Amino acid sequence: MAEVFAALTTSHLPAMGAAVDLGKTRDEYWRPVFEGYEFAKRWIADARPDVVILVYNDHATALGLDVIPTFALGCGAEFEPADEGWGRRPVPVVKGDPELAAHLAQSLILDEFDLTLINRMDVDHGLTVPLSMVFGQPEAWPCKVIPLAVNVVQYPPPTGNRCLRLGHALRKAVASYDRDLRVMVWGTGGMSHQLQGPRAGHINSDFDARFMDLLIDAPEQAASIRHIDYLRESGSEGIELVMWLIARGSLTAKVRAVRRFYHVPASNTAVGHLILENANE
């Protein structure tokens, strides 16, 4: 049977992808960020997931403001890297798992999560940058990837509680699949940052640290954080952290943090990263 055995959370800012693509990962500014992901590269080489369900937000690339699904599941066989205005990133095509995605769609919709199902779409930095940070620059990504896009761009985004419950439903859906697969759920975005207005460049390291503490040990409390509190405490783009709750919800109630990393600044944002494994209960 399939199993969600671990989860990973990470920031997905486009500048990290540009640093990879332009060979700047050893530059003085970027070195601390990329050294923070060296453990993840070693860990994932040993963990060898078959499939990653990658939770991210589209940045008005494949999903514009004409149609705004709250949750959209990528069910296609492959997903091309998107051209976000300066050409496509030089990364491999993302290979999906249509059979598992179809199973997830059925299980989640019957579990009363109203998903939009997408069979064809390009994927932007929200999805490709996390892959680069963890897998480096391979000729092909070493596992299949199922995109799960969440609206955190146009108000109202889903609540933290809804996202945590979606993680629970994902865990149940994966466990009911009749193939032996090692599955991970990745939650991306964040941490505290704001890209515009008088508070552009806002970073709240205290909030970020509290959120990571709660995500590990008290996810229900993290899920109760209100939209307005994300806005006040973590900046206008800090709401992306609700996507981390989907990854956390896919695990057991008790988890073990095998990696915790945090760095400020990286392109005017805070970079956070966790690897969580199910703990014996």
Side-chain angles (χ1 to χ4, degrees):
M1 304 298 288
E3 177 191 18
V4 177
F5 71 93
L8 181 148
T9 67
T10 177
S11 303
H12 64 207
L13 62 145
M16 294 196 299
V20 172
D21 301 340
L22 298 175
K24 295 182 178 295
T25 61
R26 303 306 299 170
D27 287 5
E28 181 179 358
Y29 182 83
W30 285 110
R31 185 183 300 114
V33 175
F34 286 89
E35 287 180 347
Y37 285 80
E38 287 302 314
F39 177 91
K41 290 180 179 179
R42 296 190 299 270
W43 181 91
I44 204 117
D46 292 333
R48 299 176 63 86
D50 298 304
V51 181
V52 166
I53 301 169
L54 203 152
V55 184
Y56 76 110
N57 64 288
D58 178 83
H59 299 78
T61 302
L63 303 172
L65 296 181
D66 292 336
V67 178
I68 307 170
T70 299
F71 301 116
L73 185 69
C75 298
E78 63 180 32
F79 306 92
E80 294 278 352
D83 184 344
E84 300 181 59
W86 48 85
R88 296 186 175 193
R89 288 193 64 216
V91 295
V93 171
V94 174
K95 300 295 185 179
D97 188 332
E99 291 185 8
L100 176 57
H103 172 81
L104 295 177
Q106 174 175 294
S107 181
L108 293 171
I109 290 171
L110 293 180
D111 221 354
E112 301 185 349
F113 283 90
D114 299 325
L115 300 179
T116 298
L117 307 183
I118 302 182
N119 294 313
R120 182 178 178 181
M121 68 173 176
D122 292 348
V123 289
D124 66 19
H125 72 268
L127 185 139
T128 64
V129 166
L131 292 174
S132 294
M133 298 303 292
V134 176
F135 291 125
Q137 295 176 286
E139 290 295 319
W141 301 122
C143 65
K144 294 182 177 180
V145 178
I146 297 177
L148 177 54
V150 179
N151 169 42
V152 291
V153 174
Q154 178 68 41
Y155 188 83
T159 65
N161 182 65
R162 186 67 168 160
C163 288
L164 186 67
R165 298 293 175 266
L166 177 55
H168 294 166
L170 269 175
R171 178 175 177 80
K172 173 183 171 185
V174 169
S176 67
Y177 193 51
D178 61 2
R179 285 168 54 200
D180 289 331
L181 291 176
R182 289 172 56 77
V183 179
M184 289 186 70
V185 180
W186 293 14
T188 75
M191 295 189 82
S192 64
H193 64 297
Q194 181 154 330
L195 302 179
Q196 70 290 308
R199 289 205 307 167
H202 172 80
I203 294 173
N204 185 342
S205 295
D206 289 339
F207 176 89
D208 292 339
R210 290 197 304 273
F211 183 85
M212 293 173 91
D213 289 342
L214 293 175
L215 193 76
I216 296 167
D217 296 321
E220 298 285 349
Q221 191 173 341
S224 70
I225 299 172
R226 302 174 302 165
H227 289 154
I228 191 64
D229 293 323
Y230 280 110
L231 179 64
R232 289 170 174 160
E233 298 290 335
S234 64
S236 55
E237 278 70 50
I239 190 62
E240 290 178 350
L241 287 170
V242 298
M243 296 186 289
W244 290 32
L245 285 158
I246 298 176
R248 178 62 180 89
S250 71
L251 300 180
T252 53
K254 293 184 179 180
V255 298
R256 177 175 58 256
V258 298
R259 176 59 172 163
R260 176 170 176 160
F261 172 71
Y262 184 79
H263 178 77
V264 173
S267 187
N268 293 323
T269 73
V271 170
H273 165 48
L274 289 169
I275 297 175
L276 304 176
E277 294 179 345
N278 293 320
N280 294 328
E281 296 186 88

